[in-house]
Amino acid sequence: MKLSIIIVNYNVKYFLEQCLYSVKKAQEDFANIFGSNSSEVFVVDNNSQDDSCEMIKANFSGIKLIENKKNVGFSSANNQAIKLAKGEYILLLNPDTLVSEDTFSKVVNFIDKNNDAGGLGVHMIDGSGKFLPESKRSFPSPAVSFYKMFGLSSLFPKSEKFGKYHLSYLDKNKTHEVEVLSGAFMLLRKKTLDKSGLLDEDFFMYGEDIDMSYRVIKAGYKNYFFSETSIIHYKGESTKKGSLNYVFMFYNAMVIFAKKHFSNKKVAIFSVLIRLAVWFRAALSFSKRIFKSALLPVLDATVFYAGFYFIKPIWEAYNFNKEGYYPKEYMIYAVPVYVAFWVLSVYIAKGYKRPLDSKKLFKGILAGSFVILVFYSLLNEEFRYSRALLLLGTAWSMFFSWLLRAIFTVFKFKYFGFKKKSEKKILVVSDSDEYLRIKKLINSAENNDEKVGITPFKKYNEDNLFHLLSIEIKERKINEIIFSLKNITVDDVINIMKKLQGSSVEIKIAHHKTQSVIGSNSIHSSGELYVSDVKTIVKPVNVRIKRFSDIFFSIIFLISYPILFLLVENKVNFIKNIFKVLSGKYSWVGYAGNNTSVPKKLPEIKKGILSPVNFPIFDEKEILRINMLYARKYNLTDDIYIIYKSFDKIGNKKL
């Protein structure tokens, strides 16, 4: 056996599926050179909850699957397979990668000819075609780490001193001897592992590749960055690298590495740098999240309150011929309550969800005003200040909160401004049958919030494909390209992605044997954009969230019943529904349609008092589409919005 490929998987089913098809294709090329049965594939699954193992068993009979009952970590899972591997070479490969058809053949040919090579990595690009700098690195000594952590490596990338972390002064299109390889693609000699030892299981997820690379060199071998083949690595899909959890886990791994390989003096220096970096990155990440999440609500609250601050004295002078007519408690207590209701209502109406939508903003403010007026009517006379002032405040709030977002839009603060809804124009590079299949998949998975135009591209010609695509992009104003791997090689896709990097065109990939289209222009966003899987709603974490929210809302409704009963059509049945949900027999939100009309293709959930449809629909296909969308993209905020939008029907009887 020449080559053993080992993939550790954790909840990235769609990426894994396409990865395995690319591996299978590369194995065929490898067999043509090194003979049949010259390679084997292991998948070690760390207790995934997304049916990854079932997918492998159904579609990849030749794969050696190891199913762990818990997440044992990256190092431990790889070691399980390494102990069983028969190959002369061991390839550690991430599940969120796509390899070129000749990748295995090229890397093994190179390492065969270079006896001093103990480890090898390759040229990696992300989902937008951008070169991933971690394809080649040096060891994180205190000095190298300092330059990286405090930005000097970014300021002086061509400096051999400051750019050493990612070896950014080395040509990424040439093969070089390097110190550190990426665990996303790490080819190792089996005899090197026999000498250096297996992966260190003290590293749960990060740092094991640095440690392994270090031990390869200590064992007397060299590590190489090999530039003559490329792979796609959808970096950030298995683990979200912008999270605080990532920051702490990664830098903790660096401390383990330092304690293991540095002198006591260097460990002390490195530990101080690490702690500074951890808290700096954590504070930066936390502040950024808080800023993005809280800025608009805080600005809205300021605008809402300012409205009453300016309008109240004008209204007092106009209506009562004197200022100070209303007591000071009005601005201290009543107005902040109004503001809180409006901000909460805008949130429930998804007025803060990106892309920002003026309709959702207005709906939220109007709904908040309605709730305030209902409570207002129940208060004692001494606390009923002025309906007219409340309505004037509503008008002010609607106009100036909209104006605030419009200003952000004009000055191109994209995160806080309105996003113009434009038609998504997709070019599908495939034959006719694949085009129709992919189009159907997109239409079944796409949200109706945006229009989608899908165009076939059948003029496939290897020699001038990029030129032809460039013409199509310009003439048709294409903003997304989907390549079917039935009609084009991974290698050709990679070459086109490299040429298109930096453009506004998104690249996605479909395999003709899968029911997913993957791709991402951002390392922080999911690439599972078009999938036919509808099991999101029955994932254990979502089942728990749904049940907790049902109990929470039931208790709130029960406590608030003396007020809320005024808003519902069937007041007696409202109470009955509360206890039905508390008992666990029902959920506040379920599928649309009666219980017997829900098809078996949808995952089973509890019957709902309400549904995603609050108006009559008699088209069964449309009901199915809405239910599938609800199941596939389930989120707690959807249930909150449905309850809010259909609250008057919350006393409905269910069959």
Side-chain angles (χ1 to χ4, degrees):
M1 184 74 67
K2 194 74 174 176
L3 177 65
S4 297
I5 302 126
I6 299 171
I7 301 170
V8 175
N9 177 64
Y10 181 66
N11 288 327
V12 284
K13 170 184 170 182
Y14 301 108
F15 289 94
L16 174 65
E17 186 177 25
Q18 286 210 15
C19 173
L20 290 176
Y21 277 118
S22 75
V23 165
K24 189 175 180 181
K25 198 72 176 175
Q27 279 184 287
E28 293 173 6
D29 181 80
F30 192 79
N32 291 334
I33 298 173
F34 295 99
S36 59
N37 300 318
S38 55
S39 63
E40 61 182 352
V41 181
F42 290 87
V43 173
V44 187
D45 185 81
N46 271 337
N47 196 32
S48 296
Q49 302 298 309
D50 62 353
D51 296 332
S52 290
C53 293
E54 288 71 14
M55 178 273 295
I56 293 170
K57 292 171 185 175
N59 301 317
F60 301 97
S61 57
I63 285 178
K64 298 172 183 179
L65 175 63
I66 300 173
E67 298 182 67
N68 289 325
K69 299 304 179 186
K70 64 177 183 178
N71 187 352
V72 299
F74 183 81
S75 296
S76 180
N78 270 305
N79 287 342
Q80 286 177 267
I82 291 172
K83 292 172 184 176
L84 302 173
K86 299 175 182 177
E88 180 184 345
Y89 299 109
I90 306 294
L91 173 62
L92 309 183
L93 184 67
N94 264 30
D96 52 354
T97 59
L98 286 180
V99 297
S100 296
E101 288 75 11
D102 59 0
T103 292
F104 298 161
S105 303
K106 283 186 174 181
V107 296
V108 170
N109 268 325
F110 177 85
I111 205 167
D112 264 346
K113 294 174 183 177
N114 292 270
N115 293 325
D116 61 347
L120 179 144
V122 296
H123 184 288
M124 299 190 297
I125 64 171
D126 67 10
S128 65
K130 184 181 178 182
F131 174 72
L132 290 173
E134 61 267 34
S135 300
K136 50 182 176 62
R137 286 177 290 173
S138 61
F139 293 125
S141 67
V144 170
S145 300
F146 177 84
Y147 302 146
K148 171 69 169 66
M149 293 171 190
F150 293 94
L152 293 174
S153 59
S154 298
L155 288 173
F156 307 102
K158 298 303 179 183
S159 166
E160 291 191 23
K161 181 178 181 180
F162 298 125
K164 200 169 183 182
Y165 187 85
H166 282 134
L167 301 172
S168 49
Y169 54 87
L170 295 179
D171 189 342
K172 66 179 181 291
N173 296 313
K174 292 182 180 179
T175 298
H176 303 280
E177 181 185 338
V178 296
E179 291 178 335
V180 176
L181 307 173
S182 170
F185 186 106
M186 182 183 280
L187 182 67
L188 300 162
R189 289 183 188 272
K190 184 69 181 294
K191 65 179 183 181
T192 304
L193 286 169
D194 293 338
K195 190 174 180 180
S196 65
L198 301 181
L199 276 70
D200 189 337
E201 296 181 13
D202 285 344
F203 298 92
F204 183 81
M205 187 174 295
Y206 305 111
E208 68 292 314
D209 49 0
I210 299 174
D211 177 71
M212 189 75 248
S213 299
Y214 187 85
R215 287 190 284 124
V216 166
I217 291 175
K218 282 186 70 176
Y221 293 93
K222 295 179 179 179
N223 291 321
Y224 283 92
F225 163 72
F226 183 67
S227 64
E228 294 176 31
T229 188
S230 298
I231 70 167
I232 302 172
H233 179 207
Y234 293 102
K235 177 186 173 185
E237 300 302 343
S238 298
T239 51
K240 301 303 178 186
K241 303 206 171 189
S243 68
L244 293 177
N245 185 52
Y246 165 75
V247 172
F248 283 107
M249 289 185 70
F250 178 78
Y251 287 112
N252 182 59
M254 293 300 95
V255 171
I256 295 172
F257 176 82
K259 288 180 178 178
K260 183 176 178 181
H261 298 295
F262 293 168
S263 65
N264 290 335
K265 184 178 179 181
K266 281 189 174 181
V267 169
I269 297 171
F270 194 79
S271 295
V272 170
L273 286 174
I274 287 295
R275 288 189 179 92
L276 285 172
V278 166
W279 291 111
F280 176 74
R281 286 287 301 276
L284 195 65
S285 179
F286 182 74
S287 300
K288 187 177 180 180
R289 288 187 177 192
I290 292 296
F291 178 77
K292 282 188 172 182
S293 301
L295 180 64
L296 267 184
V298 169
L299 289 177
D300 278 348
T302 304
V303 166
F304 298 161
Y305 190 88
F308 288 93
Y309 181 83
F310 289 112
I311 293 172
K312 184 177 81 70
I314 296 173
W315 177 252
E316 288 172 329
Y318 172 77
N319 203 40
F320 304 106
N321 295 319
K322 69 171 184 175
E323 290 189 17
Y325 177 81
Y326 296 106
K328 62 181 180 179
E329 287 81 10
Y330 181 72
M331 294 298 295
I332 296 174
Y333 300 113
V335 173
V337 170
Y338 300 163
V339 170
F341 267 108
W342 279 328
V343 170
L344 181 61
S345 296
V346 172
Y347 173 79
I348 292 173
K350 299 186 179 181
Y352 296 118
K353 187 175 181 180
R354 275 73 186 178
L356 299 178
D357 188 331
S358 57
K359 290 181 181 178
K360 292 175 182 178
L361 170 67
F362 296 152
K363 283 181 181 179
I365 294 174
L366 289 172
S369 298
F370 175 75
V371 173
I372 292 168
L373 287 169
V374 170
F375 278 98
Y376 180 92
S377 64
L378 300 173
L379 295 174
N380 292 331
E381 187 69 32
E382 61 183 297
F383 298 115
R384 297 182 194 174
Y385 295 107
S386 171
R387 286 190 181 90
L389 199 51
L390 177 58
L391 293 175
L392 288 171
T394 300
W396 169 287
S397 298
M398 290 176 68
F399 176 74
F400 282 99
S401 58
W402 174 87
L403 182 62
L404 179 69
R405 288 156 175 76
I407 292 171
F408 280 133
T409 305
V410 170
F411 286 96
K412 298 183 179 180
F413 292 100
K414 294 181 180 179
Y415 195 80
F416 304 109
F418 295 120
K419 182 180 179 182
K420 185 179 178 181
K421 288 188 178 180
S422 58
E423 183 181 5
K424 183 180 286 187
K425 295 184 178 180
I426 303 174
L427 194 67
V428 179
V429 181
S430 68
D431 61 26
S432 299
D433 291 340
E434 264 295 271
Y435 164 71
L436 293 173
R437 186 187 74 86
I438 291 171
K439 182 178 180 181
K440 184 177 180 181
L441 179 62
I442 295 171
N443 286 333
S444 68
E446 187 60 66
N447 194 322
N448 262 1
D449 286 347
E450 57 183 331
K451 296 179 180 179
V452 179
I454 310 172
T455 306
F457 183 87
K458 304 172 188 176
K459 302 173 184 176
Y460 175 64
N461 182 315
E462 283 186 41
D463 298 329
N464 61 355
L465 178 58
F466 177 71
H467 174 68
L468 293 171
L469 284 174
S470 300
I471 294 172
E472 290 288 316
I473 290 169
K474 185 177 181 180
E475 290 183 352
R476 297 179 182 270
K477 297 182 179 179
I478 299 297
N479 45 39
E480 183 174 311
I481 300 175
I482 298 176
F483 291 100
S484 167
L485 295 182
K486 180 182 178 184
N487 307 102
I488 187 172
T489 65
V490 173
D491 191 52
D492 282 338
V493 173
I494 289 174
N495 289 331
I496 291 170
M497 288 175 69
K498 289 177 182 177
K499 293 175 182 177
L500 285 174
Q501 68 162 303
S503 72
S504 59
V505 178
E506 294 187 18
I507 304 294
K508 303 203 169 46
I509 299 173
H511 195 283
H512 57 285
K513 293 183 180 180
T514 69
Q515 288 298 306
S516 62
V517 178
I518 65 171
S520 175
N521 259 6
S522 167
I523 65 171
H524 303 301
S525 66
S526 173
E528 300 166 16
L529 293 183
Y530 308 123
V531 298
S532 59
D533 188 3
V534 292
K535 293 188 176 180
T536 301
I537 198 168
V538 291
K539 286 183 177 179
V541 63
N542 285 334
V543 171
R544 290 193 294 270
I545 289 172
K546 198 165 176 52
R547 180 59 186 150
F548 174 81
S549 65
D550 280 341
I551 294 171
F552 174 79
F553 281 116
S554 297
I555 293 171
I556 294 296
F557 293 159
L558 197 59
I559 294 172
S560 308
Y561 182 77
I563 297 172
L564 296 179
F565 85 98
L566 297 171
L567 306 177
V568 300
E569 293 174 355
N570 192 325
K571 298 169 175 50
V572 175
N573 214 56
F574 179 29
I575 278 286
K576 292 180 180 179
N577 286 344
I578 292 173
F579 286 104
K580 284 178 183 178
V581 174
L582 277 173
S583 70
K585 186 178 179 182
Y586 283 79
S587 174
W588 283 116
V589 181
Y591 293 133
N594 61 54
N595 299 319
T596 57
S597 67
V598 176
K600 292 182 179 179
K601 66 174 69 176
L602 288 170
E604 186 175 346
I605 61 173
K606 291 174 184 175
K607 301 170 186 175
I609 304 299
L610 304 172
S611 79
V613 178
N614 68 344
F615 51 87
I617 294 181
F618 303 102
D619 186 342
E620 291 294 330
K621 288 185 179 180
E622 180 62 12
I623 292 175
L624 175 60
R625 190 196 68 78
I626 292 171
N627 285 336
M628 290 181 72
L629 195 63
Y630 175 69
R632 182 185 299 112
K633 298 189 176 184
Y634 174 75
N635 188 286
L636 176 59
T637 57
D638 294 326
D639 278 3
I640 295 173
Y641 183 66
I642 290 167
I643 292 171
Y644 163 76
K645 194 173 182 181
S646 308
F647 191 80
D648 59 324
K649 298 180 177 63
I650 207 163
N652 286 354
K653 291 183 178 180
K654 302 301 290 184
L655 298 175

